[in-house]
Amino acid sequence: DAGVTQSPTHLIKTRGQQVTLRCSPKSGHDTVSWYQQALGQGPQFIFQYYEEEERQRGNFPDRFSGHQFPNYSSELNVNALLLGDSALYLCASSFFNRNTGELFFGEGSRLTVL
Amino acid sequence: GESVGLHLPTLSVQEGDNSIINCAYSNSASDYFIWYKQESGKGPQFIIDIRSNMDKRQGQRVTVLLNKTVKHLSLQIAATQPGDSAVYFCAEISGTGGFKTIFGAGTRLFVKA
């Protein structure tokens, strides 16, 4: 049973560029949430996708956008990259209609913006 | 905005001692709380959870206490081991049909051999 997988694991971009990160949820899960984790801080909620729609969003600008595909996988897109976007981007999967609130995380994509 | 805070950013304990990690939360509507453990280079991993209608829950070597009156959570780790060295986050969950999980800043636990 595959867990949450993310790609790429590491990438380097320059300011102003665009990036796409990918996530495959744990088998059976229908919901994907994205988090940004700066060094030494807790994960910050970006948004959540279910049934190919954004269901909830945190305090992130419109430069951050996403998509969910019919197979439940998801992408996170960040446009016009800033130095402050350098962080670990975590994908977490879960069931939308929860009996528990447990999130299953991937190992993240580490983005460095130069 | 919503936030979950932690009292101590780092905690150093001797192997075999008990560890206590504290957390304050701000959203009184949160009905579910989880402690996550994050090891270096990995994503957070579920440790233990507790619902708002409970004040204590025990797992294997871990206990979570919830005090809703003062909006406080704690994680107790018994007989702390070197493998327990990690960053620990408390998280509060609210909503149904698309719940929202808010993480605190984390406490780094160092276990001295």
Side-chain angles (χ1 to χ4, degrees):
Chain A
D1 181 19
V4 179
T5 58
Q6 293 187 242
S7 64
T9 55
H10 296 81
L11 68 167
I12 300 173
K13 294 285 187 177
T14 57
R15 281 178 295 175
Q17 285 189 312
Q18 178 265 344
V19 68
T20 297
L21 308 178
R22 296 175 176 83
C23 172
S24 292
K26 179 179 169 63
S27 179
H29 284 176
D30 55 14
T31 302
V32 172
S33 301
W34 286 93
Y35 287 80
Q36 180 194 65
Q37 186 176 27
L39 197 62
Q41 297 185 19
Q44 299 293 309
F45 176 72
I46 303 175
F47 42 54
Q48 180 187 77
Y49 275 84
Y50 169 70
E51 289 189 331
E52 303 178 50
E53 292 185 8
E54 182 182 294
R55 298 291 176 155
Q56 297 206 54
R57 191 177 182 93
N59 295 324
F60 280 80
D62 293 344
R63 298 186 298 108
F64 289 77
S65 64
H67 188 78
Q68 186 180 34
F69 299 93
N71 66 353
Y72 308 117
S73 67
S74 177
E75 289 182 349
L76 164 65
N77 301 292
V78 186
N79 295 322
L81 284 167
L82 304 173
L83 295 180
D85 295 331
S86 295
L88 180 68
Y89 288 85
L90 293 163
C91 170
S93 72
S94 60
F95 295 108
F96 186 75
N97 293 308
R98 67 174 176 98
N99 289 320
T100 74
E102 182 178 354
L103 296 173
F104 289 79
F105 284 88
E107 297 195 340
S109 294
R110 183 163 296 282
L111 171 65
T112 301
V113 182
L114 302 176
Chain B
E2 296 171 324
S3 66
V4 178
L6 292 171
H7 297 310
L8 296 172
T10 60
L11 177 65
S12 184
V13 300
Q14 199 69 38
E15 182 180 359
D17 287 351
N18 297 332
S19 303
I20 300 176
I21 301 172
N22 295 303
C23 173
Y25 64 94
S26 60
N27 185 1
S28 57
S30 294
D31 61 352
Y32 187 58
F33 303 88
I34 296 179
W35 281 98
Y36 286 89
K37 173 185 180 182
Q38 187 174 24
E39 297 175 291
S40 181
K42 296 185 178 181
Q45 185 176 17
F46 174 95
I47 302 174
I48 191 168
D49 60 357
I50 189 168
R51 296 193 180 278
S52 59
N53 61 354
M54 303 169 67
D55 53 19
K56 181 179 180 178
R57 191 164 190 219
Q58 288 185 293
Q60 185 178 11
R61 285 201 304 118
V62 294
T63 300
V64 55
L65 300 178
L66 174 62
N67 185 331
K68 295 181 290 294
T69 302
V70 295
K71 296 182 189 174
H72 183 269
L73 277 164
S74 68
L75 176 70
Q76 301 177 1
I77 305 174
T80 312
Q81 302 170 358
D84 295 326
S85 293
V87 178
Y88 290 81
F89 297 99
C90 67
E92 59 180 309
I93 294 94
S94 58
T96 57
F99 57 92
K100 188 174 182 179
T101 302
I102 303 298
F103 286 80
T107 294
R108 181 173 295 281
L109 176 65
F110 290 102
V111 181
K112 297 178 287 186

